Coordinates of all heavy atoms in Angstrom, one line a residue:
L98 N 39.4 208.0 128.5 CA 39.6 208.4 127.0 C 40.9 207.8 126.5 O 40.9 207.2 125.5 CB 39.4 209.9 126.8 CG 39.7 210.3 125.4 CD1 38.6 209.7 124.4 CD2 39.6 211.8 125.3
V101 N 40.6 204.0 126.2 CA 39.8 203.7 125.0 C 40.5 203.8 123.7 O 40.6 202.9 122.9 CB 38.4 204.4 125.0 CG1 37.7 204.2 123.7 CG2 37.6 204.0 126.1
I116 N 38.9 208.5 113.8 CA 38.0 209.1 114.7 C 38.5 210.5 115.2 O 37.8 211.4 115.3 CB 37.7 208.1 115.9 CG1 36.8 207.0 115.4 CG2 37.0 208.9 117.1 CD1 36.6 205.9 116.4
K118 N 40.8 212.4 113.8 CA 40.9 213.4 112.7 C 39.5 213.9 112.3 O 39.4 215.1 112.1 CB 41.6 212.7 111.5 CG 43.1 212.5 111.6 CD 43.7 211.9 110.4 CE 45.2 211.8 110.5 NZ 45.8 211.3 109.3
T142 N 34.5 237.5 98.1 CA 35.7 236.7 97.7 C 36.4 236.2 98.9 O 36.9 235.1 99.0 CB 36.6 237.6 96.9 OG1 35.9 238.1 95.7 CG2 37.8 236.8 96.4
L143 N 36.5 237.0 100.0 CA 37.2 236.7 101.2 C 36.5 235.5 101.9 O 37.1 234.6 102.3 CB 37.3 237.9 102.1 CG 38.2 237.7 103.3 CD1 39.6 237.3 102.9 CD2 38.2 238.9 104.2
N157 N 54.9 214.0 115.3 CA 54.8 212.5 115.5 C 53.4 212.0 115.2 O 52.5 212.8 115.0 CB 55.3 212.1 116.9 CG 54.4 212.7 118.0 OD1 53.2 212.8 117.9 ND2 55.0 213.2 119.1
G174 N 42.1 235.7 84.7 CA 41.4 236.9 84.7 C 41.8 237.9 85.8 O 42.8 237.8 86.4
K177 N 42.6 236.7 89.8 CA 43.6 235.6 90.0 C 44.3 235.8 91.4 O 44.8 236.8 91.7 CB 44.6 235.7 88.9 CG 45.6 234.6 89.0 CD 46.5 234.6 87.8 CE 47.5 233.4 87.8 NZ 48.3 233.4 86.6
F199 N 39.5 240.0 112.1 CA 38.4 239.1 112.3 C 38.8 237.7 112.6 O 38.0 236.9 113.3 CB 37.4 239.2 111.1 CG 37.9 238.6 109.9 CD1 37.7 237.3 109.5 CD2 38.7 239.4 109.0 CE1 38.2 236.8 108.4 CE2 39.2 238.9 107.8 CZ 38.9 237.5 107.5
Q218 N 32.0 214.9 119.4 CA 32.3 214.1 118.2 C 33.1 212.8 118.6 O 32.8 211.7 118.1 CB 33.1 214.9 117.1 CG 32.2 215.9 116.4 CD 31.2 215.2 115.5 OE1 31.5 214.3 114.8 NE2 30.0 215.7 115.5

Side-chain angles (χ1 to χ4, degrees):
L98 178 61
V101 169
I116 287 172
K118 285 183 176 183
T142 305
L143 188 58
N157 58 43
K177 188 174 184 178
F199 66 94
Q218 288 292 315

